[in-house]
Amino acid sequence: MTAVTSMVVLALNGFAGEPRDPAKPDGGNAEWGMRHGEQVADVKSHANNLEVLFIGDSITSGWRDIGKALWENQDISSRLLDQDGKLTANVSADGVHPTKKGYQTWAEAIMPVLREMTAATSPQQDAPGQSASTFLSDLKPGVVKGEWRADRNFADNGLTVGDVQYSRGVCVKAGSELTYRLDDNYKWLDSWVGLDASAASGSVVFKVFCDDELAFDSGGFSDTDHPPAGASRFNRNRAVACRVPLEGVRQLRLSVTGAGGEAADWADARLWTGSIPLADANRFGSTGNVARTPPMGYCTWNSFTFDFDEKTIRELADAMVSSGMRDAGYEYLMVDEPGFRTRDKDGNLVPDLKKYPGGMKALGDYLHARGLKFGIYTDAKSATCGGFLGSYGHFEQDARLFASWGVDYVKADWNDAPDPEPAPKVYADLATALRATGRPIYFAVIHWGMGSHHWARKAGSHTWRTTFDVLNAWDTPADSNTGVGCLKAADQTEALGAFAGPGGWNDPDMLTVGMQQQEKKYQATYNGKQLPIKTDVEDRSHFSLWCLLNAPLLAGNDLRTMPAGVRDILTNRELIALNQDPLGIPAWRAQKMGDLEVWKKPLKNGDIAIGLFNRSDKPQRMTASWRCLDISGKWQARDLWAHQDLGEFEGGYSCQAASHEIVVLRLSRIPHPALAPLPSRGHK
């Protein structure tokens, strides 16, 4: 078959079918004008070097080679005969000319063949200087086992994993295998994998084979539509990053195995001809000065719930200073559930004088005098989760009151009461009221991971919760009746990296580092059974993940009795520097083989942070491959937990990782000798 060297958009003029989409810059033709063998009622090619038009009853001369190849294809040539055995089209030197009767036959026969012929074509260049990409759903696999659909699930809806929608991708059923011939035309596979939201339940494993060699293993990916008994809320699992280097690869095989899994997605799957572009650091526009980096501070809730007073807050403030936490970057002290029970005759919130005898303004002054900032909790509804007064119906009044107290951070919850109005509007109204005070106030939306990442930034929020409450537990099988484990919270947040960046951040909830002392007050259970509390290794990994993900760092342990080991975790400045890096791109899984993962986070100065993460229950030897990290040459490695330079490495780095440990390195490129500046010889 004749090779095709550019992408083709073929449309059959005069047929009933999909119209062009005038809202899209190219009229929708970037979607090839054909999906699932549909007929299309327009004509265009977006190929840069070959014009292919099917106009009326002829095809331009640029089509002749493809036309001849089609005729030589035995499958399609037999379909070009009508019921009487007569040709429905003539193939000549200047192209292919279907008869009037042959249009329908051509529409049915030519599109699937074109998909096959263009499966190894050159992808479209998005913009000058960028790597070029092709959506996997625009290619027809050469070998198919099982069922698959392009860009739609089996209920004929768009692809959704968790609560994230993907406009492109491939949906398959468990037991499927799709094989693509690449012939070394691509450098990277970039996809998100997970169970489609249309799947009621399932447990599947995604695997990628490059020339029959295993290159990616998602490990078990399960979900269910039945939360555990007593669970108050429920999150569907979001997708996991799948990035696989393809240089030199001729054949790509995608496999999904498991039970159930009636709809599993290779979501937003693309093939790239070069490096996968990084997110634009300025993609969210001007951010102001409030949220250029994620917030750092302390929240009272985890250790004290409602059992604290003004004296406790002052002691915690003093501990933030004396422990070195303030100097490490922790600046906000959050009075998390201040417990307002009444309003005065003018509608102003009245603090409990037994808890706050000096008043809230004096408390804020105490914090400011120590170089700290004052945070306060409220609810965007009329009552808080603890049954105290919220702010709904009093947004402007409460915002002015908070500002008069010197409040610098407002955390707004969303309790279980019926919604007074849609959440995006309610939170936008509260954000508007806070801005109207003229005081720079950090605003946090606590909407329990129920999709606020889609709208919170636009509503005026600086952070938005991606999960339910995080427990002092390493993992939960599913949402428990009191919250989720640290591991699931991190997994749920990785898939939302595109939403985070300067000005607004994904929030997988407060840190539970060092919470072992408060375990009786913060019981972690699943279906009534107590979950194991985290180990010291798991505490370090919890902190590492939050730093790599650019999550807010809001400690919750009792700082007044904090052991030195916990302090050393929370004040690890080398880890904190990753979290506060001004580039603001959250980490993703660059390498995954079951329970062994390597996370990658690019940094502003060109360094790279990586986390070699052993999720398994036993020690493992791990390797971070330069190829999977898309880097080359020599790099200086520094262990950020050992605070030790490890030397120069080329090709990769290997180490032993304990169970549930993340070994975090900062890699700095070593210039090639040929590129190093020449020493000055001076002048004679």
Side-chain angles (χ1 to χ4, degrees):
M1 183 175 288
T2 304
V4 182
T5 58
S6 61
M7 291 200 298
V8 176
V9 175
L10 180 69
L12 304 182
N13 191 30
F15 295 134
E18 259 184 38
R20 290 180 66 189
D21 183 352
K24 297 182 179 179
D26 63 352
N29 285 300
E31 298 175 1
W32 292 53
M34 51 181 179
R35 296 193 302 272
H36 321 303
E38 298 167 349
Q39 303 165 35
V40 190
D42 202 0
V43 179
K44 191 176 179 181
S45 170
H46 62 233
N48 294 326
N49 61 340
L50 178 62
E51 184 80 3
V52 178
L53 301 176
F54 197 148
I55 305 175
D57 62 352
S58 65
I59 301 178
T60 60
S61 58
W63 177 253
R64 67 181 64 170
D65 290 338
I66 298 177
K68 290 179 180 179
L70 287 170
W71 182 247
E72 292 168 1
N73 183 286
Q74 294 299 311
D75 176 64
I76 193 170
S77 61
S78 63
R79 296 175 67 182
L80 294 179
L81 301 176
D82 63 19
Q83 293 181 352
D84 299 327
K86 295 180 180 180
L87 285 174
T88 59
N90 296 313
V91 179
S92 63
D94 64 344
V96 181
H97 304 271
T99 64
K100 188 173 182 180
K101 287 179 59 178
Y103 277 130
Q104 180 64 35
T105 304
W106 268 85
E108 295 172 353
I110 202 169
M111 290 183 179
V113 174
L114 273 177
R115 279 192 178 275
E116 180 179 354
M117 293 177 65
T118 54
T121 63
S122 301
Q124 183 180 5
Q125 188 77 24
D126 293 330
Q130 289 187 349
S131 176
S133 67
T134 298
F135 283 104
L136 195 68
S137 56
D138 285 337
L139 304 179
K140 180 181 178 181
V143 179
V144 176
K145 175 185 175 183
E147 297 182 62
W148 72 287
R149 292 200 66 184
D151 301 333
R152 313 289 288 177
N153 62 26
F154 294 98
D156 202 32
N157 297 315
L159 307 184
T160 300
V161 181
D163 52 5
V164 181
Q165 298 177 353
Y166 300 89
S167 61
R168 307 299 302 273
V170 174
C171 183
V172 301
K173 293 189 176 182
S176 74
E177 279 193 355
L178 306 179
T179 302
Y180 299 84
R181 181 178 175 181
L182 303 183
D183 290 335
D184 194 21
N185 283 325
Y186 298 96
K187 304 303 181 187
W188 284 92
L189 166 68
D190 179 20
S191 180
W192 293 93
V193 299
L195 284 170
D196 189 86
S198 64
S201 62
S203 179
V204 297
V205 176
F206 295 80
K207 292 184 179 180
V208 176
F209 296 86
C210 296
D211 293 331
D212 293 329
E213 181 177 345
L214 181 63
F216 171 86
D217 180 348
S218 70
F221 194 107
S222 62
D223 217 337
T224 173
D225 59 352
H226 300 294
S232 59
R233 298 177 177 86
F234 180 64
N235 263 149
R236 295 299 298 266
N237 284 324
R238 298 188 180 115
V240 171
C242 171
R243 294 190 172 186
V244 177
L246 299 176
E247 186 169 5
V249 174
R250 300 186 64 82
Q251 180 176 280
L252 175 70
R253 178 157 51 93
L254 309 180
S255 166
V256 177
T257 59
E262 60 267 31
D265 294 340
W266 299 91
D268 200 30
R270 301 186 189 206
L271 301 175
W272 291 89
T273 60
S275 296
I276 301 170
L278 290 178
D280 180 4
N282 299 314
R283 61 196 180 279
F284 298 117
S286 176
T287 62
N289 296 318
V290 176
R292 288 181 176 176
T293 59
M296 296 177 61
Y298 180 85
C299 280
T300 58
W301 177 258
N302 282 357
S303 287
F304 302 99
T305 54
F306 313 114
D307 188 17
F308 64 89
D309 57 16
E310 177 183 300
K311 178 175 180 291
T312 309
I313 301 299
R314 292 173 182 250
E315 291 173 350
L316 289 168
D318 293 342
M320 286 182 72
V321 176
S322 63
S323 66
M325 289 190 67
R326 180 198 63 185
D327 293 341
Y330 294 86
E331 57 180 348
Y332 295 100
L333 201 164
M334 176 76 60
V335 180
D336 197 345
E337 185 55 284
F340 299 121
R341 297 179 184 275
T342 61
R343 294 181 180 270
D344 64 18
K345 62 182 178 60
D346 297 320
N348 294 310
L349 292 167
V350 177
D352 184 341
L353 291 180
K354 291 183 179 180
K355 293 186 69 172
Y356 311 105
M360 303 303 282
K361 175 67 166 62
L363 184 58
D365 290 344
Y366 189 90
L367 300 180
H368 292 148
R370 282 148 185 79
L372 301 173
K373 294 182 178 180
F374 184 15
I376 203 163
Y377 166 99
T378 187
D379 200 293
K381 297 184 183 181
S382 57
T384 70
C385 292
F388 298 98
L389 294 179
S391 290
Y392 184 76
H394 298 269
F395 287 162
E396 292 81 5
Q397 188 170 24
D398 287 359
R400 290 193 298 269
L401 184 62
F402 294 158
S404 72
W405 292 342
V407 167
D408 306 289
Y409 189 120
V410 171
K411 173 181 177 180
D413 214 337
W414 190 256
N415 71 34
D416 287 331
D419 298 352
E421 296 179 85
K425 179 185 183 304
V426 173
Y427 278 110
D429 289 346
L430 178 51
T432 299
L434 292 172
R435 287 195 301 271
T437 67
R439 184 175 182 81
I441 297 177
Y442 214 115
F443 181 41
V445 163
I446 310 299
H447 193 246
W448 306 98
M450 297 186 291
S452 55
H453 49 275
H454 290 292
W455 50 261
R457 182 189 290 269
K458 185 177 180 180
S461 173
H462 301 111
T463 66
W464 43 86
R465 279 278 291 276
T466 60
T467 67
F468 305 145
D469 285 350
V470 169
L471 305 171
N472 186 30
W474 177 240
D475 195 18
T476 46
D479 291 347
S480 78
N481 42 329
T482 49
V484 298
C486 296
L487 187 59
K488 180 174 180 181
D491 287 343
Q492 291 287 70
T493 303
E494 182 210 16
L496 306 182
F499 296 93
W505 306 98
N506 293 321
D507 176 15
D509 200 12
M510 297 169 284
L511 293 165
T512 60
V513 172
M515 283 294 302
Q516 287 82 342
Q517 297 175 79
Q518 289 82 42
E519 184 58 28
K520 289 183 179 180
K521 293 186 178 181
Y522 203 57
Q523 189 74 43
T525 60
Y526 177 75
N527 275 348
K529 181 179 179 181
Q530 182 177 353
L531 293 169
I533 61 176
K534 298 193 310 303
T535 65
D536 291 342
V537 169
E538 290 166 348
D539 261 357
R540 288 196 297 273
S541 295
H542 169 30
F543 189 74
S544 297
L545 285 168
W546 264 235
C547 288
L548 289 167
L549 289 167
N550 287 113
L553 299 181
L554 302 173
N557 58 304
D558 190 341
L559 303 180
R560 303 169 304 175
T561 58
M562 177 169 54
V566 175
R567 181 199 63 213
D568 291 345
I569 293 174
L570 292 173
T571 59
N572 184 328
R573 297 195 183 202
E574 295 192 81
L575 264 295
I576 291 171
L578 307 184
N579 178 269
Q580 297 291 298
D581 185 79
L583 186 60
I585 296 179
W588 64 87
R589 275 169 269 221
Q591 189 176 329
K592 182 167 176 59
M593 295 293 286
D595 287 332
L596 305 183
E597 302 175 346
V598 178
W599 292 58
K600 174 183 176 180
K601 176 177 172 54
L603 303 173
K604 179 71 172 180
N605 70 345
D607 287 359
I608 295 171
I610 63 171
L612 292 87
F613 185 15
N614 175 16
R615 298 169 68 110
S616 77
D617 293 330
K618 61 182 180 180
Q620 299 272 11
R621 185 73 177 171
M622 296 189 62
T623 297
S625 162
W626 274 203
R627 184 168 183 256
C628 292
L629 294 171
D630 197 19
I631 60 176
S632 60
K634 293 183 179 180
W635 292 72
Q636 176 74 34
R638 180 170 176 81
D639 188 322
L640 302 191
W641 280 113
H643 305 293
Q644 179 181 6
D645 290 329
L646 303 177
E648 299 179 3
F649 296 86
E650 186 172 10
Y653 173 82
S654 298
C655 66
Q656 188 78 6
S659 170
H660 301 172
E661 181 182 13
I662 303 179
V663 177
V664 184
L665 306 181
R666 184 167 184 143
L667 302 180
S668 302
R669 185 188 298 275
I670 299 174
H672 190 280
L675 301 178
L678 295 174
S680 173
R681 296 184 179 182
H683 298 280
K684 292 183 179 180

